Amino acid sequence: MHVTFDLTKEDMKTFMHQHYEHSPSIRRTAAIFRYVLTAVLVGAGVGVGVLLGDKPWLYLPVGVVGGGVYFAIFPRFWRRSIDKQTDKMLAEGKNRGLLGRQELEVDADGIVERSTHGELKARWSSVERIRETLPIYAEKLPK
């Protein structure tokens, strides 16, 4: 099988989002940021109440609202952070062969990826798995 396609910056962002959504270690990190910081905000509301006076439970709703807002907007913040990191990575340079016209060839020996800047060969013995649903390539395959 031989496929030719153009790899764009948006394709890279789609790939990064897919990776971040399915990587166990990154998902664990995102969960820690989301849940722990939400709990910290709720606790800060109570802590401010304790420091300020006689009825700390009155400040609990402030912490709950702050924590709830953070919990609700975190996914959008996380996605925007991934986009910024991808843009920064691509802007750093030394990525000339990463974007643009790509060729992917699959044969009995393995997988060959070619671009205007080089060629990458992977024998089947080095391939751990192939995922059919990888959006960066699936959209580009001929129907």
Side-chain angles (χ1 to χ4, degrees):
M1 177 178 81
H2 184 88
V3 179
T4 302
F5 57 92
D6 287 315
L7 192 59
T8 66
K9 185 187 249 187
E10 288 307 311
D11 292 330
M12 245 355 243
K13 287 180 181 180
T14 300
F15 173 77
M16 295 301 283
H17 285 287
Q18 192 271 344
H19 177 66
Y20 273 58
E21 290 168 8
H22 292 91
S23 167
S25 62
I26 294 174
R27 289 177 66 194
R28 193 170 26 258
T29 300
I32 289 170
F33 273 113
R34 190 173 190 189
Y35 294 106
V36 170
L37 288 177
T38 298
V40 166
L41 287 170
V42 171
V46 173
V48 167
V50 167
L51 290 174
L52 291 180
D54 45 338
K55 297 181 183 176
W57 54 272
L58 289 176
Y59 292 89
L60 181 62
V62 173
V64 169
V65 168
V69 167
Y70 174 78
F71 189 83
I73 66 169
F74 180 80
R76 182 179 294 152
F77 166 77
W78 189 253
R79 289 186 69 81
R80 191 175 303 159
S81 173
I82 294 168
D83 288 344
K84 285 182 181 180
Q85 290 173 11
T86 303
D87 287 339
K88 190 191 297 188
M89 176 194 73
L90 293 173
E92 285 177 349
K94 298 186 181 179
N95 297 310
R96 289 183 295 176
L98 190 59
L99 301 178
R101 175 68 90 211
Q102 307 283 325
E103 292 181 37
L104 190 64
E105 186 175 334
V106 179
D107 60 23
D109 295 330
I111 301 172
V112 180
E113 182 181 357
R114 291 183 192 90
S115 73
T116 56
H117 298 284
E119 180 175 285
L120 175 66
K121 295 179 182 180
R123 296 198 183 281
W124 287 118
S125 60
S126 67
V127 176
E128 291 180 22
R129 65 183 164 176
I130 295 179
R131 296 185 63 178
E132 293 179 40
T133 59
L134 195 60
I136 197 167
Y137 294 119
E139 294 173 354
K140 311 234 179 244
L141 292 174
K143 304 222 178 284

